[in-house]
Structures are given as structure tokens and as C-alpha cells.
Amino acid sequence: MYDSGKIITGLVIFVALFASPFILNVGGGAPAVPQPSLDTPAIKSMGNPVCVRENMQANHMQVLDLWRDSVVRDSNHTAPGIDGQLYEMSLSNTCMECHSNKAEFCDRCHTYAAVDPFCWDCHIEPPKEG
């Protein structure tokens, strides 16, 4: 076999490059998934805090998109919550009323997931507590 040295060298380099992410990750693992902070005055004042929608942590972007479309396209500004009460479909007024700590509630998870949602392009961040 001609050029066997070059072929073997190329294979060794390929295997090293292919295996490097696995080798470098041994023992390191991924950082822990952050849990949103529920430590706000509004949530503390509730006896048994219940969010407007079920599974909001897993599906909040879908819910917020549906809310936006319903408000903008259909002029429907309220939606029933899981408790049967009607809530205003508003990130700034409804969601941020309870979850007023944007840095600890929104930003922590968005940074971890490396996403940059466009919510705050239009919505105003609530004023700092205290």
C-alpha cells in the first residue's frame, strides 16, 4: 500500500477529532438546569400559588404565541385560567404581575438554553422591586 503512513495519520487525526467532544466531556457533564425563582411578593402573598396555565414552564412560548395571535388577530384579550377565572392575555400585565423578577425568572433559563426570545423587543420589563 502506497502512502500508508499518510492514510494512517489521516485516520488517527479523524478519530481524534471525532472523539474529542466525548473525551473532553468525561466527568464534566452538563450544568444543572436552572429552576425559575418563585420568590416574589405576589407569589408569596398567595396561599396556594397557581399559574394561569398548566405546564407553563414547559410550554410558555407556545402559550404566549397563542395569546399574542389571539389578541392581535382576533381582538380577544382574555382567556380562562386553570382555576376558571378570566385573565388578561398579557406578558407585561398578567405574567409579570406575579413573576416580577425577570432576571431570576426569565433570563436565567433563557441564558442556560442559549435562546434570545423577542418578547422584550416590544414588552417593557417591570420595574425593580424594593
Side-chain angles (χ1 to χ4, degrees):
M1 185 191 290
Y2 303 109
D3 297 326
S4 61
K6 292 179 182 176
I7 292 171
I8 292 172
T9 302
L11 287 173
V12 168
I13 292 172
F14 171 76
V15 169
L17 288 174
F18 181 77
S20 64
F22 301 104
I23 294 169
L24 293 173
N25 198 31
V26 171
V33 176
Q35 292 301 313
S37 174
L38 301 178
D39 187 25
T40 66
I43 293 175
K44 284 180 181 178
S45 70
M46 297 177 187
N48 183 18
V50 176
C51 197
V52 172
R53 304 289 303 177
E54 276 187 278
N55 302 320
M56 186 57 112
Q57 185 174 354
N59 302 314
H60 67 281
M61 280 308 301
Q62 291 84 357
V63 170
L64 292 173
D65 280 344
L66 288 172
W67 280 11
R68 179 199 60 210
D69 293 346
S70 182
V71 169
V72 172
R73 296 179 182 159
D74 303 329
S75 250
N76 179 14
H77 292 271
T78 58
I82 57 176
D83 58 359
Q85 181 178 344
L86 286 178
Y87 291 93
E88 180 184 5
M89 291 190 279
S90 170
L91 171 66
S92 299
N93 297 329
T94 303
C95 300
M96 299 312 289
E97 181 179 318
C98 292
H99 305 291
S100 55
N101 52 356
K102 179 183 174 285
E104 294 176 17
F105 190 77
C106 303
D107 296 343
R108 183 186 299 174
C109 292
H110 293 155
T111 301
Y112 171 81
V115 295
D116 187 19
F118 53 87
C119 310
W120 303 107
D121 292 349
C122 301
H123 293 276
I124 299 170
E125 183 178 348
K128 301 289 183 223
E129 296 173 6

